Amino acid sequence: MPLGWRRSKRFERVAALELPPGQWERAWTSLNRRDVLGRIALALATAVIVCIVIRGWDPPFSYRSGYTPRRDIVATVPFDKPDPDAKKAKEEQARSQARHVYVQDAEPLVQLRAALRNTLVELAAAPSLVKLDKTDPKIWPDFQLSVEKNRPANAKEQEEAFRKFRNAVTPQESLDRVDNAIKEVFQPFEQHGLLAKLDPTPSVGNQEEILIYPAKFPEFTPRPVRVSEVQLGDGGTIRDALRRHPQLAPIADRLFAWIGPRLKPTLHQDSDATKQEISDAVQAVPNVLIEYSVGQTLAKADQRLGADQLDLLQREYAATISHRHHSRWGAMLGRATGVTALIFSAFLLCGIYMRFRQRGPLASLTRLIVLILLIVATVAVARVASDVWRAELLPVLVFSMTMTIVYRQELSLLLTGVVALIVTLSLGRSLPGFLILAGVGSAAVLSLARIRTRTKLIYVGLFAGLVAAFLHVILGLIDDQPLTRPLFIEALWKAAWVIVAAFFVTGLLPFVEQLFGVLTDLSLLELGDVAHPLLQELVRRAPSTYNHSITVGSIAEAAAESIHARGLLVRVGAYFHDIGKMLKPDYFVENQGPDENRHETLVPAMSTLVIIAHIKDGADLARQHRLPQPIIDLIAQHHGTTRVEFFYDRATEQQHADPNAAEVDENTYRYPGPKPQTKEAAVLMLADAVESASRSLVDPAPARIESLVRQIAEQRLHGGQFDESGLTLRELRTIEKSMVMSLASIYHGRIKYPEQRTA
């Protein structure tokens, strides 16, 4: 036989030996599953969303009020800062230079000019002063000069003055020329108006110029007019205008003697428009900026950051971010990628832990999405709370306590660390900032084991608050912060926010239970009240089943506590686990009398259906009365997929007795399941079975009880009922010991008293 042929056959035999897949091959196979890829994609999308929420492309502003820098902080980019004092001075200047707005009503001047013409017509119609005085003695005195009024002239002088004035306005052509000349003199004043006086306060407005607009046309844009041109005063402006006119110069003084006393201001201030003008002038004042150059000191070493220093640092930070947005897109993209990768890695770490240690959040896509939304909301609220109240601890503590209530402490610690890392990254805190968030959250998680009283969360908050204050002081000293009063005030401030978080979670507790479908010990204590309507109805309809449930609850609670499971949940679940029996209580042996058995008239298959139905009936009753889902799960799982042995054996006997009978289908005599999914459900299954079986013991000695418990436990174990519960063999043996002790205490020996003798 050729040697090559032998080698070929040997290699074929070796290749035919299929070894189990290695670790990396198994990991690759798991990753290729659709549900796993979907959850990884969800984690990546969440990381991107968190990066957007915290603006991961920009470095955060990391300074806070009260922080003492160890070295000088200098500007890295040029920026400017408004100078409020200089701007205020310019605003005052603008306010003092703002022009008042006036409304011009020219009608009084028009009427005055018309009255003057009528008077001149009467005066021109009189041939002499004597005739004029007879007609109207008040006309000529109004035209007399002040000198003439103070020193009365004789009749001849008065007549001569009258004649000269009359000659200037007669004949009619001269009167028309005088009237037109007066109109020309009045025209500027009819346009600009006459002003009585201006507010003398320099800060009120411009003292040299005003704005006017005609009363008939308020929509016109006000035009500027110098005050000296419209100020009424003693009428000198109009008198000078009359004197300058060649037609009126000879009689200007007498015309003004008549006009002057009748002049009234025609300009009236528009208060609203003036206020608006002043406001516009003030608002138009630009900011006065103080420029800071690169390298200029913004905060000095060993000096606490106050409001002024923080303002400078924030402006320098804003200038830095603006510079990055305009010229450093590559750096922004790189930082965003790094932040997203870090957050995604943290999420993957949590997912791997859940995969091997607690699969609850991963198994339910709804619960996973709710968890992700809580993480995103916590980070967003922490960012806002830090900027507004410096209270980033509040949302982180609320998240930590919520996760501890919903999940186990180990997963809650991991999630708290991840959220603390993201919040620290978002706020730009250093290692001490992360240690405070993670340390305080861990303290709350570790001290929040079970909530059996309403004050438990408050005590947890007080303890975590002390931890927060202690960590802040210690880490402040490590960070070279001076041990001064502000450091202790900040520590007390953090402790106060932690206590507020505890009160907040106390109020949210019912909503957390409803959202995640969990039960705290506090809710279980309320639910386990024997006055519950379902339990009262069970007492009325099936008292023996009720007594059985109470006993099972006592046995199961002790057994669950022995393996550190939730004993209170098992006890309350035991109270309700057989409520389905109350619909047909007479078909269950504990409720039957010694001479009655409803199953004697039924075939085994029908009896089995009646017995098995109490699982579905109990779950339906629990849903109808809105019992929590964990209690419904215990009702549905406490028999698993076990076989109804009594009726299965009877059916088998009948089949053997009748050769023509059909073969017995074992599945017909099994409970529908599911198998126990938790350790608590496994404990309840075993406690229910051993309590029922122990009633059949004639002599319940401890050895017989131990043998019975071991036998039932082995049956359930070999029947695969505990495969999905997570129960270990060591825990199973611990449960057996606890149940043996509980049953032995129930059936302990009693002293036999002598019979009472009657007289």
Side-chain angles (χ1 to χ4, degrees):
M1 183 179 295
L3 183 59
W5 184 87
R6 285 186 177 181
R7 288 181 177 177
S8 175
K9 296 294 289 184
R10 187 184 306 126
F11 291 156
E12 289 178 3
R13 290 197 303 272
V14 171
L17 179 60
E18 295 185 2
L19 296 176
Q23 179 180 359
W24 293 106
E25 185 178 355
R26 292 197 303 271
W28 179 253
T29 302
S30 299
L31 285 176
N32 282 331
R33 291 170 50 189
R34 179 177 298 179
D35 58 337
V36 175
L37 292 176
R39 282 157 175 75
I40 292 175
L42 184 60
L44 179 59
T46 305
V48 173
I49 293 173
V50 172
C51 181
I52 295 173
V53 170
I54 67 175
R55 297 178 62 86
W57 53 86
D58 289 333
F61 181 75
S62 57
Y63 299 105
R64 304 186 71 169
S65 176
Y67 177 76
T68 303
R70 290 172 288 180
R71 55 180 179 273
D72 290 348
I73 303 175
V74 298
T76 58
V77 294
F79 69 99
D80 49 47
K81 171 190 174 184
D83 188 347
D85 295 333
K87 183 179 180 182
K88 185 176 181 180
K90 286 187 173 294
E91 288 177 348
E92 291 298 328
Q93 183 180 0
R95 187 177 288 106
S96 66
Q97 294 178 354
R99 295 169 295 190
H100 292 249
V101 181
Y102 286 84
V103 182
Q104 159 63 356
D105 184 9
E107 189 62 27
L109 288 178
V110 174
Q111 297 297 328
L112 180 63
R113 184 163 48 81
L116 177 58
R117 175 180 173 81
N118 294 334
T119 302
L120 291 177
V121 169
E122 293 184 22
L123 187 147
S128 64
L129 181 58
V130 176
K131 293 286 180 111
L132 180 62
D133 289 340
K134 291 181 179 180
T135 304
D136 190 348
K138 296 181 180 180
I139 292 179
W140 179 247
D142 290 342
F143 288 94
Q144 288 182 331
L145 304 178
S146 58
V147 177
E148 295 174 345
K149 292 179 179 179
N150 295 332
R151 182 183 59 82
N154 56 36
K156 185 177 181 180
E157 290 176 349
Q158 290 184 7
E159 183 66 32
E160 181 62 22
F162 171 75
R163 184 184 63 78
K164 288 181 179 181
F165 184 79
R166 180 177 179 278
N167 290 338
V169 296
T170 55
Q172 183 65 37
E173 292 80 3
S174 298
L175 180 60
D176 292 341
R177 286 194 295 270
V178 169
D179 182 57
N180 290 332
I182 293 173
K183 184 177 181 180
E184 292 176 6
V185 171
F186 271 55
Q187 185 176 7
F189 299 102
E190 292 178 4
Q191 292 179 352
H192 300 157
L194 293 173
L195 180 64
K197 63 178 180 178
L198 194 66
D199 191 336
T201 306
S203 62
V204 172
N206 197 317
Q207 301 295 307
E208 297 180 354
E209 194 174 67
I210 61 174
L211 297 174
I212 65 171
Y213 66 88
K216 294 182 178 180
F217 304 100
E219 69 277 4
F220 281 12
T221 301
R223 60 182 182 275
V225 176
R226 296 189 65 80
V227 174
S228 59
E229 296 177 358
V230 297
Q231 196 164 17
L232 185 59
D234 59 354
T237 304
I238 292 183
R239 181 172 57 244
D240 293 341
L242 292 171
R243 289 174 178 175
R244 287 194 300 268
H245 198 283
Q247 183 68 35
L248 303 177
I251 59 174
D253 292 339
R254 293 194 180 276
L255 288 175
F256 184 74
W258 188 93
I259 294 172
R262 293 171 173 80
L263 283 177
K264 295 181 180 180
T266 61
L267 291 174
H268 304 284
Q269 189 177 38
D270 187 338
S271 300
D272 294 338
T274 300
K275 291 179 181 178
Q276 185 63 41
E277 182 70 18
I278 295 175
S279 175
D280 293 344
V282 172
Q283 291 180 0
V285 174
N287 284 330
V288 181
L289 302 177
I290 303 175
E291 296 183 353
Y292 291 84
S293 57
V294 176
Q296 188 169 350
T297 301
L298 305 180
K300 293 184 178 181
D302 300 325
Q303 293 185 5
R304 293 179 61 250
L305 297 180
D308 295 337
Q309 290 80 11
L310 274 181
D311 181 63
L312 287 178
L313 292 173
Q314 287 173 344
R315 293 183 183 279
E316 191 261 352
Y317 170 76
T320 302
I321 296 302
S322 177
H323 175 70
R324 285 172 58 89
H325 289 179
H326 284 88
S327 59
R328 301 187 62 186
W329 286 96
M332 293 171 58
L333 181 60
R335 192 177 193 283
T337 302
V339 169
T340 303
L342 178 62
I343 297 173
F344 177 61
S345 301
F347 287 162
L348 282 184
L349 176 64
C350 294
I352 293 172
Y353 175 84
M354 295 176 191
R355 168 65 177 80
F356 292 102
R357 301 291 296 176
Q358 188 172 356
R359 302 190 63 178
L362 288 180
S364 172
L365 185 60
T366 302
R367 300 190 73 173
L368 182 61
I369 292 175
V370 171
L371 176 60
I372 287 173
L373 291 177
L374 279 179
I375 293 175
V376 174
T378 300
V379 173
V381 173
R383 186 178 176 89
V384 174
S386 176
D387 294 339
V388 179
W389 304 296
R390 301 174 66 179
E392 63 274 7
L393 264 175
L394 174 61
V396 174
L397 261 294
V398 170
F399 176 81
S400 300
M401 293 182 182
T402 302
M403 291 299 99
T404 309
I405 293 170
V406 176
Y407 303 114
R408 290 200 297 264
Q409 288 177 318
E410 295 84 356
L411 178 58
S412 181
L413 284 172
L414 180 60
L415 293 175
T416 298
V418 170
V419 170
L421 174 64
I422 298 174
V423 172
T424 304
L425 185 66
S426 169
L427 302 179
R429 301 287 183 265
S430 57
L431 179 61
F434 169 75
L435 292 178
I436 289 176
L437 289 175
V440 176
S442 300
V445 170
L446 294 176
S447 59
L448 186 63
R450 295 181 180 178
I451 307 175
R452 297 185 74 105
T453 62
R454 297 186 182 276
T455 57
K456 178 63 179 290
L457 286 170
I458 308 303
Y459 291 133
V460 170
L462 291 173
F463 173 71
L466 292 176
V467 173
F470 174 77
L471 285 177
H472 181 78
V473 173
I474 296 301
L475 293 174
L477 294 176
I478 294 175
D479 198 30
D480 291 340
Q481 297 298 300
L483 193 63
T484 56
R485 183 169 174 266
L487 182 65
F488 291 101
I489 292 177
E490 181 71 14
L492 293 176
W493 188 253
K494 289 185 180 298
W497 281 122
V498 173
I499 296 172
V500 169
F503 279 97
F504 194 69
V505 175
T506 302
L508 288 178
L509 188 58
F511 303 100
V512 171
E513 293 180 341
Q514 185 175 5
L515 178 63
F516 288 94
V518 297
L519 277 176
T520 63
D521 286 358
L522 182 62
S523 298
L524 286 172
L525 288 172
E526 296 175 352
L527 187 63
D529 187 357
V530 294
H532 193 282
L534 275 178
L535 297 181
Q536 290 296 305
E537 189 66 16
L538 183 63
V539 171
R540 189 179 68 84
R541 294 191 178 195
S544 296
T545 299
Y546 172 80
N547 292 329
H548 160 73
S549 299
I550 297 299
T551 305
V552 170
S554 176
I555 297 171
E557 181 179 21
E561 294 288 349
S562 68
I563 61 170
H564 306 291
R566 297 190 64 187
L568 183 59
L569 173 62
V570 179
R571 172 161 67 86
V572 176
Y575 289 170
F576 292 94
H577 80 285
D578 273 344
I579 56 175
K581 292 182 178 181
M582 73 172 71
L583 299 182
K584 297 175 182 175
D586 296 337
Y587 286 88
F588 297 90
V589 63
E590 68 267 22
N591 299 311
Q592 294 174 354
D595 299 327
E596 61 173 334
N597 188 349
R598 294 291 186 91
H599 295 286
E600 292 180 354
T601 59
L602 300 177
V603 296
M606 182 59 66
S607 296
T608 302
L609 289 177
V610 174
I611 296 298
I612 291 176
H614 86 275
I615 298 293
K616 181 179 180 302
D617 294 338
D620 291 341
L621 283 172
R623 293 188 187 96
Q624 181 181 348
H625 287 78
R626 297 183 179 180
L627 294 186
Q629 188 60 42
I631 301 298
I632 299 176
D633 293 339
L634 290 177
I635 294 174
Q637 298 168 17
H638 78 275
H639 279 296
T641 58
T642 56
R643 193 169 57 193
V644 184
E645 297 291 347
F646 180 82
F647 294 110
Y648 176 74
D649 293 341
R650 176 183 289 186
T652 303
E653 292 174 0
Q654 292 179 359
Q655 190 265 337
H656 290 162
D658 185 2
N660 297 324
E663 186 176 352
V664 177
D665 184 6
E666 182 181 356
N667 294 328
T668 304
Y669 296 89
R670 286 190 178 273
Y671 285 94
K675 295 178 180 180
Q677 303 295 305
T678 61
K679 294 180 181 181
E680 288 79 8
V683 170
L684 179 59
M685 166 186 278
L686 199 54
D688 180 45
V690 299
E691 198 283 333
S692 299
S694 65
R695 293 175 181 269
S696 62
L697 292 176
V698 177
D699 182 15
R704 293 185 179 182
I705 293 175
E706 182 178 0
S707 176
L708 176 66
V709 172
R710 173 60 62 88
Q711 178 185 357
I712 294 174
E714 292 295 334
Q715 288 178 351
R716 298 295 185 271
L717 177 63
H718 293 302
Q721 299 301 316
F722 302 144
D723 291 351
E724 301 174 13
S725 65
L727 200 65
T728 64
L729 287 175
R730 177 175 295 180
E731 290 173 334
L732 181 59
R733 299 309 174 212
T734 304
I735 292 171
E736 291 175 8
K737 292 179 182 179
S738 174
M739 290 185 178
V740 169
M741 293 178 60
S742 297
L743 290 172
S745 63
I746 293 174
Y747 297 111
H748 66 278
R750 293 176 175 85
I751 300 175
K752 295 183 179 180
Y753 294 96
E755 294 182 0
Q756 182 179 3
R757 298 180 179 179
T758 58

